[in-house]
């Protein structure tokens, strides 16, 4: 898919109601922050029932943030996940989320430090809020992370789509993405918690 076609698809998704996709399928939206959004797209895009994952900025006060200034506006990097709840549950998406982050770190994620790289769950309705609170409590009780989970659960703020070159970065720039990720400390940490994948 060309860059222009990819951008037009994202623009169309942003314009259409979030409760219906182009084929009429009822959909829902989830918003997660897990540090660098480059690393958060692929795990969700691989899930059956997820139709789109869009990188962006949220949680701050400024309007129309860009990569150059989103941190100054109080935003953090997030991904918006569009999914069919008949095929994948919000609870399942939360489980994927916990497997991508260090929820005990309040100062960033792995090599990326600062508020703009902190983790968060942004809920869009009361059901998501309840599910997220229960999921966080369950993870906390498991003790798997060795420290208390401090990832906040907050009401969704306006979502601002990141620049096109950030979308699907791992596909567009596989070598640069691999180089960054392999040195970020993310996979080393995740392997230490969940076990190394075959």
């Amino acid at each position: 898919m060309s860059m222009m076609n990819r951008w037009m698809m994202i623009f169309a998704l942003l314009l259409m109601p979030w409760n219906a996709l182009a084929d009429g399928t009822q959909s829902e939206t989830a918003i997660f922050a897990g540090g660098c959004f480059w690393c958060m797209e692929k795990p969700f895009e691989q899930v059956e029932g997820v139709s789109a994952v869009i990188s962006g900025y949220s949680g701050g006060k400024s309007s129309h943030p860009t990569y150059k200034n989103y941190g100054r506006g109080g935003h953090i990097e997030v991904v918006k996940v569009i999914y069919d709840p008949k095929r994948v549950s919000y609870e399942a998406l939360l489980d994927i989320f916990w497997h991508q982050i260090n929820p005990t770190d309040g100062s960033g994620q792995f090599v990326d430090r600062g508020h703009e790289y902190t983790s968060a769950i942004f809920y869009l309705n009361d059901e998501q809020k309840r599910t997220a609170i229960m999921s966080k409590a369950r993870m906390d009780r498991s003790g798997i992370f060795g420290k208390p989970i401090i990832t906040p659960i907050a009401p969704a703020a306006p979502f601002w789509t990141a620049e096109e070159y950030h979308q699907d970065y791992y596909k567009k720039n596989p070598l640069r993405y691999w180089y960054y990720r392999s040195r970020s400390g993310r996979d080393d940490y995740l392997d230490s918690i969940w076990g190394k994948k075959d």
Side-chain angles (χ1 to χ4, degrees):
M1 180 182 294
S2 70
M3 184 178 296
M4 179 62 72
N5 287 341
R6 165 71 178 171
W7 182 246
M8 289 176 66
M9 182 184 74
I10 291 174
F11 185 70
L13 282 168
L14 291 173
L15 288 179
M16 68 176 60
W18 287 119
N19 65 346
L21 295 177
D23 64 358
T25 300
Q26 293 301 304
S27 65
E28 293 186 10
T29 301
I31 300 177
F32 302 113
C36 176
F37 44 33
W38 294 349
C39 296
M40 295 297 290
E41 287 188 329
K42 184 177 180 179
F44 291 107
E45 287 187 344
Q46 294 177 324
V47 177
E48 186 176 350
V50 170
S51 56
V53 181
I54 304 169
S55 288
Y57 316 110
S58 193
K61 301 294 185 182
S62 62
S63 298
H64 306 288
T66 67
Y67 191 64
K68 292 183 179 180
N69 64 25
Y70 76 96
R72 293 196 298 274
H75 294 283
I76 60 178
E77 294 192 9
V78 301
V79 289
K80 175 181 279 189
V81 181
I82 312 303
Y83 67 100
D84 179 354
K86 293 180 179 179
R87 300 172 67 193
V88 60
S89 68
Y90 184 66
E91 184 176 3
L93 295 179
L94 284 166
D95 189 58
I96 293 168
F97 170 71
W98 296 123
H99 280 72
Q100 310 309 314
I101 67 167
N102 175 358
T104 71
D105 188 346
S107 301
Q109 287 290 292
F110 313 108
V111 74
D112 297 310
R113 312 312 298 163
H115 172 73
E116 55 265 52
Y117 296 108
T118 53
S119 64
I121 298 168
F122 291 105
Y123 60 85
L124 285 88
N125 54 53
D126 289 342
E127 182 60 29
Q128 285 191 356
K129 180 181 180 180
R130 286 192 294 271
T131 304
I133 290 173
M134 289 189 295
S135 178
K136 178 178 177 179
R138 186 166 55 252
M139 282 292 174
D140 231 353
R141 288 194 303 270
S142 75
I144 192 167
F145 293 107
K147 299 177 183 178
I149 292 175
I150 60 175
T151 297
I153 299 171
F159 172 88
W160 304 94
T161 302
E163 294 81 350
E164 168 59 22
Y165 66 87
H166 287 301
Q167 309 300 330
D168 282 336
Y169 189 87
Y170 74 97
K171 292 180 181 177
K172 297 174 183 174
N173 300 281
L175 291 180
R176 289 183 180 179
Y177 172 75
W178 175 85
Y179 185 85
Y180 159 75
R181 177 150 186 156
S182 65
R183 287 159 175 76
S184 71
R186 185 182 293 261
D187 289 331
D188 291 338
Y189 172 81
L190 297 178
D191 289 346
S192 73
I193 298 297
W194 304 105
K196 192 173 180 64
K197 295 180 179 179
D198 295 332

